[in-house]
Amino acid sequence: MKGLPPETDFLVVGASVAGLRAAIELADSGRVLVITKSDPPDFKKADLKNEAYWLSDEDEVSLHLQDTLDTGDGLCNPQAVKVLVNEGAERIEELISWDKHSAPKLTFELENPHTRVRILHSQGAPTAKQFLRVLFERAQSLKSVSIAPRTFAAEIRTDGERVTGVCLIDEKGVPQEIACSIVLLATGGIGQIYRNTTNPETATADGVAMAFRAGAEVADLEFIQFCPTALHMKKVPRFLLDETLRSEGAYLRNFELDRFMAKYHPLAERAPHDLVSRAIVHEMEVSRAKDPFVYLDVTHLSSARVQKHFSRIYEVCMAYNLDITEDLIPVRPAAQYSVGGVRADLDGRTNVAGLYAAGEVASTGAHGANRMPGNSLLESLVYGARAGRSMREAERTISRVSAEPKAAFSNGPVDAGVEELVGQIQDLMWNEVGIVRMRGGMQKALTALDGMTSKFSHPKTRRAYEAANLHLVAKLVAQSALAREESRGAHYRVDYSDRDNKKFLKHSIVRGTKVAFAA
Ligand SMILES: Cc1cc2nc3c(=O)[nH]c(=O)nc-3n(C[C@H](O)[C@H](O)[C@H](O)COP(=O)(O)OP(=O)(O)OC[C@H]3O[C@@H](n4cnc5c(N)ncnc54)[C@H](O)[C@@H]3O)c2cc1C
């Protein structure tokens, strides 16, 4: 697109599943500007995430609802789950009807902890990639929708009560104020607060940080899901090796090449994934290696079966000269999904008038304390559409474009000092607010994070903004985790290893400097 407009009716931050789905919903109601800090997608190269839910012939909405509630460990908002499971099939059927290419061949798979064959695959390709392609093509075909790539949202502007616009940094590093009273955050996850994550480099928690600075409440941030087995090789992205490998018979071996999972759980490698992550952490600690990891082993399975059934994993590993039919796969746990986020109702509204949130950045209570794998793409689709609908109905007031931004910005070069600080945050969070947590470590992390605050006060580059966002959200996660004195779902504390339903069958909510708990 040619330059950014000074004002728009609707501004959507994030051009992935949640943002594009909302934009499509808004297209008949005014000018929609969708911005994304990423490059425009290349669907040939895109390596998007995996599967989504739908209902196979042997499934029922009520069973999907029950599985989701069970996985959420008591904290799901039942209304939010009902919306997810009731509207999911319709949203996917609609998506298939929008696809201009030949109808994809859909298959269903079983994945732990689903009790039914339910995970949807499309022509052997990851479903998310297909979702995104269809949404992108449709959004691009709509005249009122403009998509601006490599454009970074830095701040949400408010007049103290409601949203008035957004401060952006365009692809040349030039700041711009855009007036808009209805803004959707669809910025995805926060995984980059951790040293090890399967999230993309763009997952720098910008949406949660911007919303919080604008006065929005954030909820349930202590619930971070860690996948037990991400590829661990030098200078190679932390590619997710999903649990189907373990459910199909893969072994986990420690540094001495011994299988160890039977020591931790009667189901051995098929134990629940948070338990597997903790067992791996323990084995890595015991190994005392400088750069510890364990191995995933599929060499005892038939080579033909591995290549056919896990073709994508096989191909990705081969690209790094690792033949998984013959070699052990070095793996480590990695942060994968943020269950909490910007507190939003079932229509995406936050407590700041005009500010909406949908997808992974939002916290509606649909995942409780633990997300069922596959539910998140569906969430982005269902709640993206719902946010779009409610934004359409919202009162619009275009205020004058705010005064020229004062700070001078630039897109580079990347400041080495900033990278060092980011590394420190990631290490603190990985070591002290990671898979296994305890009071002392979390307090230590908070003190260290507090000590860095002044270094993030005047960001001048996009990367410095990202670093400031990581710093703020790391603190919010650590505060929430410290306040929840129990273990539940994706939050595990050694010093409070049981659930405490009396005190903590509630959502954590951060308002200003305080963490509160509310039903
Ligand atoms: C390795 C991995 C595997 C997964 N597997 C599954 C799975 O099998 N099934 C499933 O359901 N879910 C899975 N998930 C989770 C799921 O993919 C995400 O929850 C989902 O992609 C979230 O969609 P979203 O639209 O909310 O945001 P995202 O897809 O994360 O997109 C965020 C968008 O916001 C943009 N953005 C961010 N910050 C800014 C900013 N400051 N300014 C401008 N733009 C910004 C980004 O550029 C991007 O366009 C997986 C996640 C990972 C990391």
Side-chain angles (χ1 to χ4, degrees):
M1 70 178 279
K2 284 190 220 132
L4 294 164
E7 61 172 56
T8 185
D9 296 313
F10 306 103
L11 202 151
V12 175
V13 186
S16 183
V17 176
L20 291 172
R21 186 59 191 81
I24 292 166
E25 206 63 35
L26 288 164
D28 284 340
S29 307
R31 298 158 297 170
V32 187
L33 175 62
V34 183
I35 64 159
T36 167
K37 65 178 179 174
S38 309
D39 291 334
D42 173 348
F43 290 107
K44 281 190 211 85
K45 272 197 269 157
D47 177 15
L48 291 156
K49 301 147 201 171
N50 302 336
E51 316 90 344
Y53 276 171
W54 200 29
L55 295 177
S56 66
D57 290 343
E58 67 164 66
D59 200 2
E60 280 173 31
V61 166
S62 59
L63 296 172
H64 185 184
L65 177 85
Q66 197 52 52
D67 282 357
T68 304
L69 293 173
D70 291 347
T71 309
D73 210 357
L75 260 200
C76 286
N77 167 357
Q79 290 311 322
V81 184
K82 275 189 195 148
V83 162
L84 185 75
V85 300
N86 286 332
E87 297 181 15
E90 202 183 321
R91 291 285 81 79
I92 294 180
E93 275 165 1
E94 176 182 71
L95 206 63
I96 292 168
S97 75
W98 288 344
D99 195 351
K100 293 207 194 79
H101 303 270
S102 58
K105 184 174 170 298
L106 301 169
T107 52
F108 295 95
E109 307 259 326
L110 180 65
E111 189 180 316
N112 193 19
H114 298 265
T115 55
R116 288 292 185 280
V117 168
R118 189 179 287 145
I119 299 282
L120 183 66
H121 281 243
S122 169
Q123 290 176 320
T127 321
K129 187 173 161 179
Q130 308 292 341
F131 276 24
L132 201 56
R133 176 182 56 75
V134 176
L135 290 170
F136 202 81
E137 284 170 0
R138 184 151 182 110
Q140 266 189 325
S141 73
L142 299 167
K143 263 207 182 120
S144 53
V145 178
S146 323
I147 303 176
R150 300 183 205 97
T151 303
F152 179 80
E155 295 290 357
I156 307 292
R157 302 295 193 204
T158 71
D159 59 9
E161 270 176 31
R162 59 168 308 132
V163 169
T164 56
V166 174
C167 171
L168 310 174
I169 302 178
D170 75 10
E171 56 185 321
K172 295 193 184 97
V174 179
Q176 194 164 331
E177 299 282 342
I178 303 225
C180 180
S181 62
I182 315 278
V183 172
L184 173 68
L185 292 171
T187 49
I190 68 172
Q192 291 292 334
I193 63 172
Y194 287 102
R195 170 60 73 195
N196 295 293
T197 178
T198 54
N199 286 189
E201 281 178 6
T202 47
T204 49
D206 305 335
V208 176
M210 278 188 287
F212 189 74
R213 287 195 293 265
E217 293 172 347
V218 294
D220 291 338
L221 281 174
E222 64 276 29
F223 299 116
I224 305 281
Q225 282 188 322
F226 293 87
C227 69
T229 51
L231 187 61
H232 181 71
M233 293 171 78
K234 281 216 167 76
K235 298 197 176 151
V236 168
R238 298 284 179 261
F239 177 68
L240 173 74
L241 298 158
D242 63 50
E243 11 206 297
T244 41
L245 277 167
R246 276 178 290 116
S247 21
E248 293 286 327
Y251 296 151
L252 277 165
R253 296 185 183 280
N254 62 17
F255 240 43
E256 269 84 50
L257 304 186
D258 296 328
R259 277 183 73 190
F260 55 86
M261 274 309 302
K263 278 192 297 192
Y264 297 90
H265 197 278
L267 288 175
E269 281 85 357
R270 290 187 174 93
H273 78 271
D274 45 346
L275 204 136
V276 177
S277 293
R278 293 203 292 276
I280 294 175
V281 167
H282 189 248
E283 291 293 319
M284 294 196 314
E285 272 168 17
V286 170
S287 80
R288 292 178 177 273
K290 207 167 150 233
D291 181 28
F293 56 85
V294 297
Y295 294 104
L296 201 57
D297 178 6
V298 290
T299 56
H300 55 289
L301 303 179
S302 125
S303 165
R305 188 165 146 233
V306 167
Q307 288 184 47
K308 183 164 172 246
H309 219 76
F310 305 112
S311 55
R312 183 144 175 274
I313 294 174
Y314 176 76
E315 281 159 24
V316 170
C317 291
M318 273 308 246
Y320 300 115
N321 292 325
L322 189 73
D323 179 350
I324 63 171
T325 63
E326 291 181 0
D327 304 322
L328 300 183
I329 316 167
V331 293
R332 244 194 203 192
Q336 186 187 358
Y337 185 81
S338 168
V339 173
V342 182
R343 195 165 181 231
D345 70 10
L346 303 190
D347 294 312
R349 289 185 207 93
T350 72
N351 61 305
V352 176
L355 186 63
Y356 294 74
E360 188 168 343
V361 71
S363 175
T364 60
H367 305 302
N370 209 2
R371 168 204 65 140
M372 205 160 62
N375 265 358
S376 41
L377 276 177
L378 201 61
E379 178 196 32
S380 297
L381 203 58
V382 167
Y383 282 97
R386 287 180 74 93
R389 279 202 293 278
S390 65
M391 289 163 76
R392 233 164 40 188
E393 310 304 327
E395 193 193 332
R396 258 181 275 160
T397 46
I398 289 284
S399 48
R400 289 215 357 258
V401 181
S402 4
E404 283 295 300
K406 287 135 204 120
F409 290 87
S410 95
N411 255 353
V414 174
D415 177 349
V418 168
E419 291 313 327
E420 204 183 306
L421 288 169
V422 168
Q424 285 172 22
I425 295 168
Q426 291 174 331
D427 284 338
L428 274 171
M429 292 302 286
W430 183 254
N431 294 329
E432 312 298 353
V433 199
I435 295 164
V436 177
R437 302 165 174 179
M438 60 193 296
R439 178 192 299 275
M442 289 190 282
Q443 276 170 336
K444 183 177 143 196
L446 272 170
T447 308
L449 289 167
D450 279 340
M452 296 178 185
T453 303
S454 63
K455 306 203 166 127
F456 296 103
S457 45
H458 302 291
K460 292 255 165 57
T461 62
R462 167 179 157 168
R463 185 60 181 153
Y465 254 108
E466 288 179 334
N469 293 340
L470 289 170
H471 175 255
L472 171 59
V473 176
K475 268 177 69 171
L476 294 171
V477 170
Q479 281 166 353
S480 310
L482 187 62
R484 184 174 288 281
E485 294 178 335
E486 65 158 357
S487 291
R488 181 186 300 275
H491 169 68
Y492 180 77
R493 287 185 62 155
V494 192
D495 45 356
Y496 296 95
S497 56
D498 294 323
R499 271 181 215 92
D500 182 346
N501 282 341
K502 255 200 194 140
K503 273 166 112 179
F504 292 110
L505 195 53
K506 291 176 179 167
H507 300 279
S508 69
I509 299 165
V510 193
R511 301 185 182 110
T513 53
K514 292 237 161 22
V515 184
F517 285 87

